[in-house]
Amino acid sequence: MNKHIFLFTLLFSLCFSCGESTPNSKKTAKDDALEISEEKENKKAEFAIIIHGGAGTILKKNMTPEKEAAYKAKLEEAIRVGYDILKNGGSSLDAVEKTINIMEDSPLFNAGKGAVFTNAETNELDASIMDGKTLNAGASAGTTTVRNPINLARLIMDKSPHVMMAGLGAETYAKEQGLTMVDPSYFYTESRFNSLQRAIEREKVELDHDDKQAFYDPEIKDSKFGTVGCAALDKNGNLAAGTSTGGMTNKRYGRVGDAPIIGAGTYANNNSCAVSSTGWGEYFIRAMVAHDISALMQYKGLTLKEAAHEVIQNKVPQLGGDGGIVAVDKYGNMVAEFNTAGMYRATMNDKGELVIGIYKN
């Protein structure tokens, strides 16, 4: 009898011990999972910034060493302005605006000073900016006397009840708000004017020979490219994106591309990413490229890299368009996705690491 009691007591003790160890094991597993989660969270970048200076048939064989060095120097100058703002705790909106200002003031890019010419030999500029925290946005289209269109887009977002203003009305508002205004001749650059003349001549040849090729440009062989843009994440976790352009060489009838269209050329949402586009605007509008990348992330669970690849490498080409985007997600991951031969681009992370690219490979 005592033997049976002893065995029963021993079994009961073993079972009780096992019962106690199970919760402890679960607790340990839970703690491990929490630690892994926190480790992942710690890998989130404090801030990040990415820019582009346009996409197109940018080939090394067509680029002189001097011109390549000039582009790289200007891309670095621009991105460091935004990087310093973010590093010092500034907002992603300020970083985007000030970074784009540098590219708008450079004749190297199709924005601001380097804007391309319309068929009427004028320069008509478009821009937009978006706040990922509030989903507020501002845009301007078809201005001819506003020195920095991205500043006007920011003012429209911050101080007006509207999202977009165009033409003379936008310029009137810019004057009222004290923005820097210039004579239209400020935007003249000989290289862009010569590109227009070649585009017009090429068009005549196309009409004579029924040639369906795009307008020709010796440096970037697609007159529809050249936009500048920026996407950034700040230390407060807020995303922003902005885009500025002179549009398409030889454009007519007040044509407006994707750059000032929220959701096509620019989009930012703190729940997903911030995107700036550059490409054949008509197709980027139809595909709502910038918003679509955000939506694929938010609703389908794709990563930024997966979403950007799907839209730029599959959706846009299927429609017949081409171009690219730069984007940053809420964790500071950055992507420069394009389906052309090249795209002027640069990135800087919170460690101060700078990467500049021009060509596909």
Side-chain angles (χ1 to χ4, degrees):
M1 187 70 176
N2 289 338
K3 182 180 178 181
H4 290 152
I5 292 173
F6 172 77
L7 288 171
F8 178 80
T9 304
L10 180 62
L11 287 169
F12 180 81
S13 298
L14 288 170
C15 289
F16 184 78
S17 297
C18 290
E20 282 190 330
S21 66
T22 303
N24 287 336
S25 298
K26 287 182 180 179
K27 186 172 185 289
T28 302
K30 184 178 180 181
D31 287 345
D32 288 343
L34 183 61
E35 287 172 7
I36 292 170
S37 176
E38 288 174 345
E39 187 176 333
K40 285 183 179 178
E41 186 67 22
N42 290 335
K43 288 182 179 179
K44 176 180 178 180
E46 194 176 14
F47 61 92
I49 183 169
I50 183 168
I51 66 174
H52 71 76
T57 310
I58 306 167
L59 302 172
K60 192 172 182 65
K61 66 180 182 179
N62 296 330
M63 188 82 68
T64 65
E66 294 77 15
K67 191 116 184 163
E68 181 175 314
Y71 273 108
K72 287 183 175 179
K74 189 57 66 173
L75 288 168
E76 180 172 354
E77 178 188 349
I79 200 167
R80 285 194 180 279
V81 167
Y83 170 81
D84 287 341
I85 291 172
L86 296 171
K87 182 181 179 181
N88 293 319
S91 72
S92 53
L93 283 167
D94 286 344
V96 165
E97 181 181 10
K98 300 306 180 185
T99 295
I100 289 177
N101 282 161
I102 300 298
M103 293 187 284
E104 285 180 330
D105 291 342
S106 170
L108 290 174
F109 305 104
N110 176 18
K113 178 63 177 175
V116 299
F117 283 82
T118 69
N119 181 261
E121 299 186 356
T122 59
N123 308 99
E124 297 178 2
L125 293 82
D126 308 325
S128 63
I129 194 167
M130 186 166 184
D131 181 356
K133 180 181 180 181
T134 63
L135 301 188
N136 199 5
S140 64
T143 61
T144 61
T145 60
V146 179
R147 174 172 171 164
N148 295 104
I150 195 67
N151 295 2
L152 175 54
R154 177 76 185 272
L155 273 174
I156 291 170
M157 178 180 73
D158 288 344
K159 296 189 176 182
S160 85
H162 310 302
V163 169
M164 181 184 288
M165 295 183 191
L168 291 176
E171 292 178 349
T172 298
Y173 185 72
K175 290 177 187 175
E176 291 176 351
Q177 295 299 319
L179 282 186
T180 301
M181 310 298 289
V182 294
D183 185 87
S185 62
Y186 164 82
F187 299 108
Y188 177 91
T189 57
E190 187 175 0
S191 63
R192 298 299 191 191
F193 187 75
N194 290 339
S195 290
L196 170 65
Q197 305 312 311
R198 287 191 294 270
I200 291 173
E201 186 60 34
R202 176 75 180 185
E203 188 177 46
K204 290 178 181 177
V205 173
E206 288 174 0
L207 289 172
D208 289 343
H209 299 282
D210 195 29
D211 186 349
K212 301 300 184 184
Q213 295 181 45
F215 297 134
Y216 177 77
D217 185 282
E219 295 171 347
I220 301 177
K221 297 182 180 178
D222 306 88
S223 62
K224 53 192 175 289
F225 298 119
T227 301
V228 307
C230 177
L233 169 71
D234 63 31
K235 289 184 176 181
N236 292 319
N238 293 322
L239 292 163
T243 311
S244 183
T245 189
M248 182 187 291
T249 300
N250 202 27
K251 65 184 179 182
R252 297 170 174 77
Y253 319 119
R255 178 263 186 187
V256 175
D258 64 303
I261 308 298
I262 301 303
T266 300
Y267 192 75
N269 187 326
N270 277 8
N271 292 318
S272 54
C273 63
V275 183
S276 174
S277 306
T278 170
W280 196 335
E282 280 70 16
Y283 293 95
F284 276 60
I285 293 171
R286 289 165 57 192
M288 291 304 289
V289 165
H291 180 268
D292 201 36
I293 291 170
S294 171
L296 285 171
M297 294 177 67
Q298 197 171 353
Y299 305 134
K300 205 171 180 180
L302 271 61
T303 65
L304 175 60
K305 186 176 181 179
E306 291 168 341
H309 184 275
E310 171 61 27
V311 174
I312 297 302
Q313 304 301 340
N314 296 323
K315 185 173 183 178
V316 172
Q318 285 171 10
L319 289 176
D322 47 8
I325 61 94
V326 295
V328 58
D329 70 13
K330 61 183 180 180
Y331 301 110
N333 298 308
M334 293 178 282
V335 167
E337 189 76 40
F338 53 101
N339 56 34
T340 53
M343 181 169 72
Y344 299 108
R345 59 200 186 275
T347 66
M348 285 192 80
N349 60 20
D350 54 1
K351 298 179 181 65
E353 297 168 333
L354 170 67
V355 178
I356 298 176
I358 296 178
Y359 314 109
K360 189 83 171 180
N361 299 313

